[in-house]
Amino acid sequence: MKKILLLTTILACVSFASPYKKCAGCHGANGEKAALGKSKVISDMSKADIVSSLKGYQDGTYGGPMKGLMKGQVAGLSDADINAIAEQIGK
């Protein structure tokens, strides 16, 4: 019973975790950093620009020096995840 309760708790935490959490390491907790000194400051971007950029990274139509790295980072994001990130960080 304890194992089932523990597993349920872990799964609940994962399902409610912010999709932005993995971005924060490079972009900062609020998107305030230029990731690795090369990216735009994403907190300055509009929600629409964030969505467009993330989808562009996914399909390979967007990006500068970090294009290869970002493609891997966004590959598993759903449209809902992308919209949640834009809502959390964008203007």
Side-chain angles (χ1 to χ4, degrees):
M1 183 65 172
K2 287 181 183 179
K3 289 180 182 180
I4 293 172
L5 183 59
L6 179 62
L7 180 59
T8 303
T9 303
I10 291 169
L11 290 174
C13 290
V14 169
S15 67
F16 291 112
S18 167
Y20 180 73
K21 193 170 195 163
K22 73 178 191 176
C23 309
C26 294
H27 289 283
N30 298 303
E32 75 279 4
K33 293 181 181 178
L36 304 174
K38 296 181 181 187
S39 76
K40 295 179 181 179
V41 175
I42 59 175
S43 63
D44 292 341
M45 297 171 70
S46 71
K47 293 174 187 176
D49 286 341
I50 291 172
V51 169
S52 176
S53 298
L54 292 175
K55 288 185 177 189
Y57 278 126
Q58 282 182 326
D59 67 21
T61 61
Y62 179 85
M66 302 308 291
K67 185 175 185 174
L69 175 71
M70 283 299 298
K71 184 168 178 72
Q73 293 297 312
V74 301
L77 294 177
S78 67
D79 286 347
D81 291 336
I82 289 172
N83 288 325
I85 291 168
E87 285 295 321
Q88 181 177 347
I89 300 300
K91 289 182 177 182

